[in-house]
Amino acid sequence: ALATMHQEKAVVALRAEATAAGGLEKFFDTLAKGADRIPEAAFCKKLTALKDRGIGAVHARLCFQFVHKGGVSKPSFLSFAQIYCAVVKDIAFTDTFEVDACKTLGKAEKDEIVEIMDGPTNDEKLGLMRVKAKSLLDGVEGWMTLEGNQGTPFMKKVVKPYYVCLHDLKMTADSTPTATSRSSTSCLSV
């Protein structure tokens, strides 16, 4: 239980730093210094340096061993740090953390999958747990309520989704989803 608590602290802090650094993949590349793995010393040094997280050298090493022995590969790092949730009740994407002053960017519908980019963060004034999330459906990114002030869940954790193509498809430049229209459709290509 103690190791899990430190892993969760590490994941939240790593995602926050990665967001500021331009994303998890770019953050990995910085830590790995161009190699295909993050060495144990670099991974543990980063974890123990995380501000206000109280992760000591022993817990950093346990996190490292949990992720991958012999160096942290990019897939292992992303699997450790990325969190995905399924929407269980329709909820809005908003432009700011503060619910009182936000504008709606779009709506995530039940069963939609989102990647958590930042948080969870407690809005103490309203008693809400909020996260910054990105829709896998169309790329819309904004703040969402993870849990309401009465404990009502709006999302639940799920494993990272993987897509499989059953047939070869021609890849086109316009197959990337856009954030301009939630009704746009795109194809998954191989």
Side-chain angles (χ1 to χ4, degrees):
L2 186 60
T4 302
M5 179 182 75
H6 286 318
Q7 287 173 9
E8 290 174 2
K9 283 185 193 178
V11 167
V12 169
L14 285 171
R15 278 198 335 273
E17 285 204 22
T19 298
L24 280 170
E25 293 194 31
K26 193 172 187 179
F27 190 60
F28 172 88
D29 292 339
T30 301
L31 290 175
K33 296 184 178 169
D36 65 342
R37 295 183 179 276
I38 303 170
E40 180 176 358
F43 186 81
C44 292
K45 182 179 178 182
K46 175 48 79 178
L47 288 185
T48 56
L50 295 172
K51 297 177 184 172
D52 304 321
R53 298 297 172 174
I55 300 172
V58 171
H59 292 110
R61 190 148 192 260
L62 288 172
C63 285
F64 174 82
Q65 289 174 350
F66 173 79
V67 178
H68 202 277
K69 240 182 171 170
V72 179
S73 67
K74 187 178 266 187
S76 295
F77 179 76
L78 295 176
S79 177
F80 176 70
Q82 290 176 318
I83 295 175
Y84 292 88
C85 289
V87 174
V88 295
K89 187 173 182 174
D90 293 3
I91 187 75
F93 284 97
T94 63
D95 63 341
T96 62
F97 175 81
E98 296 79 21
V99 176
D100 322 13
C102 66
K103 294 180 183 166
T104 301
L105 301 174
K107 183 172 107 175
E109 296 179 355
K110 187 175 187 291
D111 297 326
E112 185 171 337
I113 306 290
V114 297
E115 179 183 357
I116 305 302
M117 307 303 285
D118 197 0
T121 306
N122 186 20
D123 181 340
E124 293 179 14
K125 187 167 87 175
L126 298 176
L128 304 172
M129 288 301 289
R130 305 266 289 160
V131 294
K132 189 168 189 181
K134 180 178 180 179
S135 169
L136 297 189
L137 180 67
D138 58 15
V140 171
E141 190 172 325
W143 287 93
M144 304 174 80
T145 300
L146 182 63
E147 185 178 291
N149 58 7
Q150 301 297 317
T152 305
F154 289 95
M155 293 182 256
K156 67 176 180 180
K157 283 186 182 179
V158 295
V159 297
K160 182 177 181 174
Y162 292 93
Y163 299 99
V164 177
C165 287
L166 299 176
H167 305 284
D168 287 344
L169 300 172
K170 182 178 180 182
M171 184 180 275
T172 61
D174 63 349
S175 65
T176 304
T178 63
T180 57
S181 170
R182 290 197 57 88
S183 62
S184 67
T185 305
S186 64
C187 294
L188 181 64
S189 303
V190 288

